[in-house]
PDB file of all heavy atoms in Angstrom:
ATOM      1  N   THR W   1       0.769  -1.220  -0.045  1.00 91.00           N
ATOM      2  CA  THR W   1       0.022   0.024  -0.006  1.00 91.00           C
ATOM      3  C   THR W   1       0.838   1.263  -0.043  1.00 91.00           C
ATOM      4  O   THR W   1       0.294   2.367  -0.163  1.00 91.00           O
ATOM      5  CB  THR W   1      -0.889   0.037   1.186  1.00 91.00           C
ATOM      6  OG1 THR W   1      -0.104  -0.151   2.404  1.00 91.00           O
ATOM      7  CG2 THR W   1      -1.882  -1.162   1.189  1.00 91.00           C
ATOM      8  N   GLY W   2       2.167   1.199   0.207  1.00 91.00           N
ATOM      9  CA  GLY W   2       2.988   2.392   0.252  1.00 91.00           C
ATOM     10  C   GLY W   2       3.431   2.777  -1.157  1.00 91.00           C
ATOM     11  O   GLY W   2       3.265   2.019  -2.090  1.00 91.00           O
ATOM     12  N   PRO W   3       4.010   3.948  -1.304  1.00 93.00           N
ATOM     13  CA  PRO W   3       4.570   4.326  -2.641  1.00 93.00           C
ATOM     14  C   PRO W   3       5.654   3.393  -3.023  1.00 93.00           C
ATOM     15  O   PRO W   3       6.203   2.685  -2.246  1.00 93.00           O
ATOM     16  CB  PRO W   3       5.112   5.757  -2.397  1.00 93.00           C
ATOM     17  CG  PRO W   3       4.316   6.223  -1.136  1.00 93.00           C
ATOM     18  CD  PRO W   3       4.063   5.035  -0.320  1.00 93.00           C
ATOM     19  N   GLY W   4       6.022   3.432  -4.358  1.00 92.00           N
ATOM     20  CA  GLY W   4       6.876   2.369  -4.837  1.00 92.00           C
ATOM     21  C   GLY W   4       8.353   2.723  -4.961  1.00 92.00           C
ATOM     22  O   GLY W   4       9.190   1.847  -5.179  1.00 92.00           O
ATOM     23  N   SER W   5       8.709   4.001  -4.892  1.00 92.00           N
ATOM     24  CA  SER W   5      10.118   4.397  -5.146  1.00 92.00           C
ATOM     25  C   SER W   5      10.784   5.089  -3.946  1.00 92.00           C
ATOM     26  O   SER W   5      10.267   6.056  -3.444  1.00 92.00           O
ATOM     27  CB  SER W   5      10.181   5.321  -6.295  1.00 92.00           C
ATOM     28  OG  SER W   5      11.503   5.577  -6.751  1.00 92.00           O
ATOM     29  N   PRO W   6      11.943   4.561  -3.536  1.00 94.00           N
ATOM     30  CA  PRO W   6      12.684   3.346  -4.027  1.00 94.00           C
ATOM     31  C   PRO W   6      12.199   2.096  -3.377  1.00 94.00           C
ATOM     32  O   PRO W   6      11.415   2.162  -2.468  1.00 94.00           O
ATOM     33  CB  PRO W   6      14.123   3.615  -3.600  1.00 94.00           C
ATOM     34  CG  PRO W   6      13.959   4.501  -2.313  1.00 94.00           C
ATOM     35  CD  PRO W   6      12.713   5.337  -2.586  1.00 94.00           C
ATOM     36  N   SER W   7      12.525   0.955  -3.913  1.00 94.00           N
ATOM     37  CA  SER W   7      12.042  -0.326  -3.316  1.00 94.00           C
ATOM     38  C   SER W   7      12.589  -0.545  -2.022  1.00 94.00           C
ATOM     39  O   SER W   7      13.758  -0.523  -1.742  1.00 94.00           O
ATOM     40  CB  SER W   7      12.442  -1.441  -4.323  1.00 94.00           C
ATOM     41  OG  SER W   7      12.350  -2.699  -3.640  1.00 94.00           O
ATOM     42  N   GLY W   8      11.661  -0.746  -0.953  1.00 92.00           N
ATOM     43  CA  GLY W   8      12.123  -1.017   0.352  1.00 92.00           C
ATOM     44  C   GLY W   8      12.876  -2.363   0.493  1.00 92.00           C
ATOM     45  O   GLY W   8      13.793  -2.436   1.228  1.00 92.00           O
ATOM     46  N   HIS W   9      12.342  -3.409  -0.178  1.00 93.00           N
ATOM     47  CA  HIS W   9      12.986  -4.710  -0.141  1.00 93.00           C
ATOM     48  C   HIS W   9      14.402  -4.675  -0.728  1.00 93.00           C
ATOM     49  O   HIS W   9      15.340  -5.233  -0.132  1.00 93.00           O
ATOM     50  CB  HIS W   9      12.202  -5.754  -0.944  1.00 93.00           C
ATOM     51  CG  HIS W   9      10.970  -6.163  -0.098  1.00 93.00           C
ATOM     52  ND1 HIS W   9       9.780  -5.345  -0.092  1.00 93.00           N
ATOM     53  CD2 HIS W   9      10.642  -7.284   0.603  1.00 93.00           C
ATOM     54  CE1 HIS W   9       8.879  -6.047   0.646  1.00 93.00           C
ATOM     55  NE2 HIS W   9       9.383  -7.163   1.072  1.00 93.00           N
ATOM     56  N   ALA W  10      14.574  -3.971  -1.836  1.00 95.00           N
ATOM     57  CA  ALA W  10      15.887  -3.894  -2.505  1.00 95.00           C
ATOM     58  C   ALA W  10      16.797  -3.081  -1.610  1.00 95.00           C
ATOM     59  O   ALA W  10      17.972  -3.423  -1.434  1.00 95.00           O
ATOM     60  CB  ALA W  10      15.771  -3.276  -3.824  1.00 95.00           C
ATOM     61  N   MET W  11      16.343  -1.975  -1.078  1.00 95.00           N
ATOM     62  CA  MET W  11      17.108  -1.094  -0.217  1.00 95.00           C
ATOM     63  C   MET W  11      17.556  -1.808   1.048  1.00 95.00           C
ATOM     64  O   MET W  11      18.694  -1.786   1.491  1.00 95.00           O
ATOM     65  CB  MET W  11      16.340   0.186   0.106  1.00 95.00           C
ATOM     66  CG  MET W  11      17.187   1.279   0.730  1.00 95.00           C
ATOM     67  SD  MET W  11      16.365   2.825   0.755  1.00 95.00           S
ATOM     68  CE  MET W  11      17.473   3.828   1.727  1.00 95.00           C
ATOM     69  N   GLY W  12      16.590  -2.534   1.706  1.00 93.00           N
ATOM     70  CA  GLY W  12      16.841  -3.210   2.941  1.00 93.00           C
ATOM     71  C   GLY W  12      17.864  -4.357   2.722  1.00 93.00           C
ATOM     72  O   GLY W  12      18.768  -4.610   3.501  1.00 93.00           O
ATOM     73  N   SER W  13      17.684  -5.141   1.613  1.00 94.00           N
ATOM     74  CA  SER W  13      18.548  -6.196   1.294  1.00 94.00           C
ATOM     75  C   SER W  13      19.999  -5.714   1.024  1.00 94.00           C
ATOM     76  O   SER W  13      20.945  -6.348   1.620  1.00 94.00           O
ATOM     77  CB  SER W  13      17.990  -6.982   0.054  1.00 94.00           C
ATOM     78  OG  SER W  13      18.918  -7.941  -0.283  1.00 94.00           O
ATOM     79  N   SER W  14      20.135  -4.648   0.279  1.00 95.00           N
ATOM     80  CA  SER W  14      21.497  -4.185  -0.051  1.00 95.00           C
ATOM     81  C   SER W  14      22.105  -3.616   1.208  1.00 95.00           C
ATOM     82  O   SER W  14      23.370  -3.724   1.413  1.00 95.00           O
ATOM     83  CB  SER W  14      21.450  -3.157  -1.124  1.00 95.00           C
ATOM     84  OG  SER W  14      20.720  -1.990  -0.777  1.00 95.00           O
ATOM     85  N   CYS W  15      21.322  -2.934   2.100  1.00 93.00           N
ATOM     86  CA  CYS W  15      21.841  -2.394   3.383  1.00 93.00           C
ATOM     87  C   CYS W  15      22.473  -3.541   4.183  1.00 93.00           C
ATOM     88  O   CYS W  15      23.594  -3.467   4.621  1.00 93.00           O
ATOM     89  CB  CYS W  15      20.703  -1.759   4.114  1.00 93.00           C
ATOM     90  SG  CYS W  15      20.726   0.027   4.124  1.00 93.00           S
ATOM     91  N   VAL W  16      21.646  -4.585   4.493  1.00 92.00           N
ATOM     92  CA  VAL W  16      22.106  -5.637   5.396  1.00 92.00           C
ATOM     93  C   VAL W  16      23.158  -6.402   4.862  1.00 92.00           C
ATOM     94  O   VAL W  16      24.222  -6.683   5.519  1.00 92.00           O
ATOM     95  CB  VAL W  16      20.920  -6.487   5.703  1.00 92.00           C
ATOM     96  CG1 VAL W  16      21.312  -7.760   6.541  1.00 92.00           C
ATOM     97  CG2 VAL W  16      19.854  -5.715   6.560  1.00 92.00           C
ATOM     98  N   TRP W  17      23.088  -6.846   3.583  1.00 94.00           N
ATOM     99  CA  TRP W  17      24.134  -7.644   2.952  1.00 94.00           C
ATOM    100  C   TRP W  17      25.451  -6.926   2.788  1.00 94.00           C
ATOM    101  O   TRP W  17      26.577  -7.492   2.867  1.00 94.00           O
ATOM    102  CB  TRP W  17      23.594  -8.224   1.698  1.00 94.00           C
ATOM    103  CG  TRP W  17      22.778  -9.419   1.878  1.00 94.00           C
ATOM    104  CD1 TRP W  17      21.383  -9.457   1.847  1.00 94.00           C
ATOM    105  CD2 TRP W  17      23.149 -10.722   2.160  1.00 94.00           C
ATOM    106  NE1 TRP W  17      20.929 -10.696   2.130  1.00 94.00           N
ATOM    107  CE2 TRP W  17      21.965 -11.501   2.333  1.00 94.00           C
ATOM    108  CE3 TRP W  17      24.362 -11.398   2.291  1.00 94.00           C
ATOM    109  CZ2 TRP W  17      22.005 -12.869   2.583  1.00 94.00           C
ATOM    110  CZ3 TRP W  17      24.464 -12.716   2.601  1.00 94.00           C
ATOM    111  CH2 TRP W  17      23.288 -13.462   2.741  1.00 94.00           C
ATOM    112  N   TYR W  18      25.361  -5.572   2.553  1.00 94.00           N
ATOM    113  CA  TYR W  18      26.592  -4.787   2.406  1.00 94.00           C
ATOM    114  C   TYR W  18      27.394  -4.828   3.679  1.00 94.00           C
ATOM    115  O   TYR W  18      28.567  -4.953   3.768  1.00 94.00           O
ATOM    116  CB  TYR W  18      26.244  -3.333   1.894  1.00 94.00           C
ATOM    117  CG  TYR W  18      27.428  -2.508   1.677  1.00 94.00           C
ATOM    118  CD1 TYR W  18      27.997  -2.489   0.454  1.00 94.00           C
ATOM    119  CD2 TYR W  18      27.951  -1.718   2.683  1.00 94.00           C
ATOM    120  CE1 TYR W  18      29.124  -1.691   0.104  1.00 94.00           C
ATOM    121  CE2 TYR W  18      29.120  -0.939   2.349  1.00 94.00           C
ATOM    122  CZ  TYR W  18      29.689  -0.867   1.167  1.00 94.00           C
ATOM    123  OH  TYR W  18      30.750  -0.131   0.911  1.00 94.00           O
ATOM    124  N   VAL W  19      26.641  -4.653   4.761  1.00 91.00           N
ATOM    125  CA  VAL W  19      27.259  -4.638   6.120  1.00 91.00           C
ATOM    126  C   VAL W  19      27.868  -5.949   6.377  1.00 91.00           C
ATOM    127  O   VAL W  19      29.034  -6.052   6.925  1.00 91.00           O
ATOM    128  CB  VAL W  19      26.263  -4.264   7.232  1.00 91.00           C
ATOM    129  CG1 VAL W  19      26.865  -4.417   8.619  1.00 91.00           C
ATOM    130  CG2 VAL W  19      25.802  -2.793   7.066  1.00 91.00           C
ATOM    131  N   MET W  20      27.168  -7.061   6.134  1.00 90.00           N
ATOM    132  CA  MET W  20      27.684  -8.366   6.374  1.00 90.00           C
ATOM    133  C   MET W  20      28.976  -8.642   5.592  1.00 90.00           C
ATOM    134  O   MET W  20      29.939  -9.231   6.069  1.00 90.00           O
ATOM    135  CB  MET W  20      26.659  -9.439   6.162  1.00 90.00           C
ATOM    136  CG  MET W  20      25.577  -9.412   7.169  1.00 90.00           C
ATOM    137  SD  MET W  20      24.536 -10.906   7.176  1.00 90.00           S
ATOM    138  CE  MET W  20      23.644 -10.675   5.642  1.00 90.00           C
ATOM    139  N   VAL W  21      28.937  -8.331   4.294  1.00 92.00           N
ATOM    140  CA  VAL W  21      30.030  -8.580   3.418  1.00 92.00           C
ATOM    141  C   VAL W  21      31.287  -7.795   3.894  1.00 92.00           C
ATOM    142  O   VAL W  21      32.377  -8.376   3.967  1.00 92.00           O
ATOM    143  CB  VAL W  21      29.694  -8.303   1.963  1.00 92.00           C
ATOM    144  CG1 VAL W  21      30.943  -8.356   1.047  1.00 92.00           C
ATOM    145  CG2 VAL W  21      28.702  -9.354   1.422  1.00 92.00           C
ATOM    146  N   THR W  22      31.104  -6.507   4.056  1.00 90.00           N
ATOM    147  CA  THR W  22      32.251  -5.602   4.441  1.00 90.00           C
ATOM    148  C   THR W  22      32.775  -6.078   5.782  1.00 90.00           C
ATOM    149  O   THR W  22      33.996  -5.947   6.035  1.00 90.00           O
ATOM    150  CB  THR W  22      31.854  -4.163   4.481  1.00 90.00           C
ATOM    151  OG1 THR W  22      30.673  -3.972   5.263  1.00 90.00           O
ATOM    152  CG2 THR W  22      31.567  -3.668   3.056  1.00 90.00           C
ATOM    153  N   ALA W  23      31.891  -6.495   6.700  1.00 85.00           N
ATOM    154  CA  ALA W  23      32.410  -6.976   8.067  1.00 85.00           C
ATOM    155  C   ALA W  23      33.245  -8.234   7.901  1.00 85.00           C
ATOM    156  O   ALA W  23      34.246  -8.395   8.543  1.00 85.00           O
ATOM    157  CB  ALA W  23      31.155  -7.175   8.953  1.00 85.00           C
ATOM    158  N   ALA W  24      32.757  -9.137   7.111  1.00 85.00           N
ATOM    159  CA  ALA W  24      33.527 -10.430   6.864  1.00 85.00           C
ATOM    160  C   ALA W  24      34.867 -10.095   6.232  1.00 85.00           C
ATOM    161  O   ALA W  24      35.948 -10.664   6.625  1.00 85.00           O
ATOM    162  CB  ALA W  24      32.734 -11.344   5.968  1.00 85.00           C
ATOM    163  N   LEU W  25      34.945  -9.224   5.247  1.00 84.00           N
ATOM    164  CA  LEU W  25      36.154  -8.851   4.558  1.00 84.00           C
ATOM    165  C   LEU W  25      37.198  -8.081   5.440  1.00 84.00           C
ATOM    166  O   LEU W  25      38.382  -8.133   5.257  1.00 84.00           O
ATOM    167  CB  LEU W  25      35.874  -8.020   3.366  1.00 84.00           C
ATOM    168  CG  LEU W  25      35.151  -8.821   2.140  1.00 84.00           C
ATOM    169  CD1 LEU W  25      34.891  -7.871   0.999  1.00 84.00           C
ATOM    170  CD2 LEU W  25      36.037  -9.965   1.656  1.00 84.00           C
ATOM    171  N   SER W  26      36.607  -7.411   6.427  1.00 81.00           N
ATOM    172  CA  SER W  26      37.480  -6.622   7.389  1.00 81.00           C
ATOM    173  C   SER W  26      38.447  -7.545   8.258  1.00 81.00           C
ATOM    174  O   SER W  26      39.458  -7.107   8.593  1.00 81.00           O
ATOM    175  CB  SER W  26      36.656  -5.762   8.309  1.00 81.00           C
ATOM    176  OG  SER W  26      35.939  -6.596   9.180  1.00 81.00           O
ATOM    177  N   TYR W  27      37.980  -8.791   8.349  1.00 76.00           N
ATOM    178  CA  TYR W  27      38.856  -9.769   9.033  1.00 76.00           C
ATOM    179  C   TYR W  27      39.920 -10.316   8.184  1.00 76.00           C
ATOM    180  O   TYR W  27      41.077 -10.514   8.612  1.00 76.00           O
ATOM    181  CB  TYR W  27      38.025 -10.924   9.619  1.00 76.00           C
ATOM    182  CG  TYR W  27      37.110 -10.524  10.707  1.00 76.00           C
ATOM    183  CD1 TYR W  27      35.756 -10.285  10.544  1.00 76.00           C
ATOM    184  CD2 TYR W  27      37.620 -10.424  12.030  1.00 76.00           C
ATOM    185  CE1 TYR W  27      34.944  -9.951  11.558  1.00 76.00           C
ATOM    186  CE2 TYR W  27      36.775 -10.090  13.113  1.00 76.00           C
ATOM    187  CZ  TYR W  27      35.421  -9.895  12.863  1.00 76.00           C
ATOM    188  OH  TYR W  27      34.639  -9.436  13.908  1.00 76.00           O
ATOM    189  N   THR W  28      39.650 -10.464   6.891  1.00 71.00           N
ATOM    190  CA  THR W  28      40.682 -11.024   5.986  1.00 71.00           C
ATOM    191  C   THR W  28      41.682 -10.008   5.452  1.00 71.00           C
ATOM    192  O   THR W  28      42.746 -10.357   4.992  1.00 71.00           O
ATOM    193  CB  THR W  28      39.944 -11.729   4.782  1.00 71.00           C
ATOM    194  OG1 THR W  28      39.230 -10.744   4.034  1.00 71.00           O
ATOM    195  CG2 THR W  28      38.981 -12.813   5.296  1.00 71.00           C
ATOM    196  N   VAL W  29      41.292  -8.711   5.416  1.00 66.00           N
ATOM    197  CA  VAL W  29      42.119  -7.719   4.853  1.00 66.00           C
ATOM    198  C   VAL W  29      43.425  -7.483   5.641  1.00 66.00           C
ATOM    199  O   VAL W  29      44.407  -6.977   5.217  1.00 66.00           O
ATOM    200  CB  VAL W  29      41.434  -6.364   4.751  1.00 66.00           C
ATOM    201  CG1 VAL W  29      41.211  -5.684   6.117  1.00 66.00           C
ATOM    202  CG2 VAL W  29      42.055  -5.384   3.742  1.00 66.00           C
ATOM    203  N   ARG W  30      43.408  -7.951   6.920  1.00 65.00           N
ATOM    204  CA  ARG W  30      44.624  -7.820   7.835  1.00 65.00           C
ATOM    205  C   ARG W  30      45.707  -8.842   7.567  1.00 65.00           C
ATOM    206  O   ARG W  30      46.811  -8.676   8.045  1.00 65.00           O
ATOM    207  CB  ARG W  30      44.201  -7.950   9.299  1.00 65.00           C
ATOM    208  CG  ARG W  30      43.053  -6.884   9.704  1.00 65.00           C
ATOM    209  CD  ARG W  30      42.481  -7.315  11.077  1.00 65.00           C
ATOM    210  NE  ARG W  30      41.299  -6.459  11.313  1.00 65.00           N
ATOM    211  CZ  ARG W  30      40.435  -6.761  12.257  1.00 65.00           C
ATOM    212  NH1 ARG W  30      40.518  -7.846  12.997  1.00 65.00           N
ATOM    213  NH2 ARG W  30      39.340  -5.971  12.477  1.00 65.00           N
ATOM    214  N   TRP W  31      45.347  -9.895   6.744  1.00 61.00           N
ATOM    215  CA  TRP W  31      46.343 -10.883   6.509  1.00 61.00           C
ATOM    216  C   TRP W  31      47.432 -10.311   5.602  1.00 61.00           C
ATOM    217  O   TRP W  31      47.145  -9.583   4.646  1.00 61.00           O
ATOM    218  CB  TRP W  31      45.678 -12.114   5.810  1.00 61.00           C
ATOM    219  CG  TRP W  31      44.596 -12.722   6.677  1.00 61.00           C
ATOM    220  CD1 TRP W  31      44.480 -12.629   8.020  1.00 61.00           C
ATOM    221  CD2 TRP W  31      43.555 -13.527   6.233  1.00 61.00           C
ATOM    222  NE1 TRP W  31      43.363 -13.260   8.420  1.00 61.00           N
ATOM    223  CE2 TRP W  31      42.805 -13.892   7.344  1.00 61.00           C
ATOM    224  CE3 TRP W  31      43.165 -14.030   5.001  1.00 61.00           C
ATOM    225  CZ2 TRP W  31      41.693 -14.716   7.256  1.00 61.00           C
ATOM    226  CZ3 TRP W  31      42.105 -14.877   4.893  1.00 61.00           C
ATOM    227  CH2 TRP W  31      41.293 -15.169   6.020  1.00 61.00           C
ATOM    228  N   LYS W  32      48.753 -10.676   5.905  1.00 59.00           N
ATOM    229  CA  LYS W  32      49.853 -10.086   5.308  1.00 59.00           C
ATOM    230  C   LYS W  32      50.656 -10.976   4.317  1.00 59.00           C
ATOM    231  O   LYS W  32      51.172 -10.538   3.326  1.00 59.00           O
ATOM    232  CB  LYS W  32      50.853  -9.531   6.348  1.00 59.00           C
ATOM    233  CG  LYS W  32      50.265  -8.538   7.268  1.00 59.00           C
ATOM    234  CD  LYS W  32      49.816  -7.294   6.603  1.00 59.00           C
ATOM    235  CE  LYS W  32      49.313  -6.218   7.542  1.00 59.00           C
ATOM    236  NZ  LYS W  32      48.824  -4.970   6.844  1.00 59.00           N
TER     237      LYS W  32
END
């Protein structure tokens, strides 16, 4: 029932997954 732009599902998905991916990579970036 809400307006359509921008997509809440797409925005929420990219938000959460971006945080998880960057958090996981922050552990591996320290390897020398």
